[in-house]
Amino acid sequence: MSSVWADGEEVTFKEGVPEQPGQIYDLLMGALSEQGRVVVKFVIDGIDLMQEDKQQVPESFTKIEAFSLTHDELTLRLIKEALKHLQGVDLQLEAYLRNILSVAWTEVFKRMDEFVGKVKPFAELLDNLAPYSNTYDPPWRERLEEVSREQAESLDKILTAFEQGNPALLSNELAINFLPIFGRTHKLFNEDVVPYLEKKVKEETAA
């Protein structure tokens, strides 16, 4: 007999367990969303269909297990993972800045993709946090919106400098705007965002 489990508890359906896994997924997503939770694993007979190499959804099943996290916990995990990848990037950008005016522009231009690769997680972190901030209106929302706007404007200027082949503009933008914004954002996350979310998760766990 087929069974469905969510976060370790068996799920009961008024009209019996649906036959289609896709229908079950939609029902669980809706129910968990109302509780401020999101499905992070959806395992059908031992295969997690939410992995990157996910399999085709089977037409039948014996056991479905869904695992969810609160929006607070999922956001906290994403932030900590992103900050881990950003460790040391500020020092690398400072080294890049020192080289801009001392090496050939062609060499600087060749390393544009490398530069973009280093700052991409930073931009994505701010973008990914915006929906949470807009939905839950945390006390640091306005400061997040401010650094997000400044970061986007600075990145536009940096890309313009690359397009124009203008090392002076690139150097000035990095030194005067982007690196200070990077530092303020790190401080915001370490001193306000992460502690706030850690407190929320702790309260949810204790409830």
Side-chain angles (χ1 to χ4, degrees):
M1 184 176 179
S2 300
S3 63
V4 178
W5 298 73
D7 296 322
E9 296 185 6
E10 187 168 10
V11 180
T12 56
F13 298 87
K14 292 181 179 180
E15 300 179 2
V17 179
E19 295 182 359
Q20 298 297 322
Q23 184 181 359
I24 292 174
Y25 178 81
D26 290 340
L27 290 171
L28 290 178
M29 280 288 289
L32 290 168
S33 178
E34 292 178 359
Q35 302 171 27
R37 305 182 70 88
V38 60
V39 175
V40 294
K41 292 180 69 176
F42 191 72
V43 183
I44 300 179
D45 295 332
I47 300 175
D48 185 4
L49 269 69
M50 298 191 73
Q51 295 297 321
E52 291 184 4
D53 57 346
K54 58 186 177 182
Q55 310 289 322
Q56 184 176 355
V57 179
E59 295 182 0
S60 62
F61 66 93
T62 300
K63 184 178 183 180
I64 286 179
E65 296 174 284
F67 300 89
S68 69
L69 294 173
T70 65
H71 291 164
D72 297 316
E73 188 172 3
L74 178 60
T75 302
L76 178 61
R77 288 191 181 188
L78 292 174
I79 290 173
K80 287 188 171 181
E81 187 64 26
L83 291 178
K84 189 187 304 180
H85 287 295
L86 287 168
Q87 285 182 353
V89 169
D90 55 339
L91 299 178
Q92 295 172 18
L93 292 178
E94 288 173 3
Y96 185 82
L97 171 62
R98 290 194 296 270
N99 288 332
I100 289 174
L101 299 179
S102 61
V103 301
W105 175 251
T106 53
E107 183 62 28
V108 174
F109 189 81
K110 286 178 183 177
R111 297 179 61 187
M112 182 179 71
D113 288 342
E114 179 184 346
F115 172 84
V116 172
K118 292 184 184 303
V119 302
K120 186 178 179 181
F122 173 57
E124 289 178 341
L125 175 59
L126 294 175
D127 289 344
N128 291 336
L129 190 55
Y132 176 92
S133 177
N134 293 336
T135 300
Y136 295 102
D137 193 23
W140 34 264
R141 175 179 175 177
E142 289 186 5
R143 283 172 291 164
L144 177 72
E145 292 175 345
E146 181 180 353
V147 295
S148 296
R149 182 177 61 256
E150 292 176 348
Q151 174 266 159
E153 292 173 352
S154 184
L155 275 181
D156 281 344
K157 292 178 182 177
I158 288 171
L159 293 177
T160 297
F162 276 117
E163 292 170 356
Q164 295 177 350
N166 190 334
L169 175 60
L170 177 60
S171 176
N172 287 341
E173 187 59 34
L174 277 172
I176 297 173
N177 291 317
F178 191 81
L179 280 170
I181 294 168
F182 191 89
R184 291 203 308 275
T185 304
H186 257 268
K187 184 177 181 181
L188 174 63
F189 276 97
N190 290 327
E191 296 184 1
D192 294 280
V193 179
V194 170
Y196 171 86
L197 289 170
E198 286 178 336
K199 181 180 179 182
K200 294 275 289 182
V201 170
K202 185 176 180 180
E203 291 172 349
E204 291 163 357
T205 304

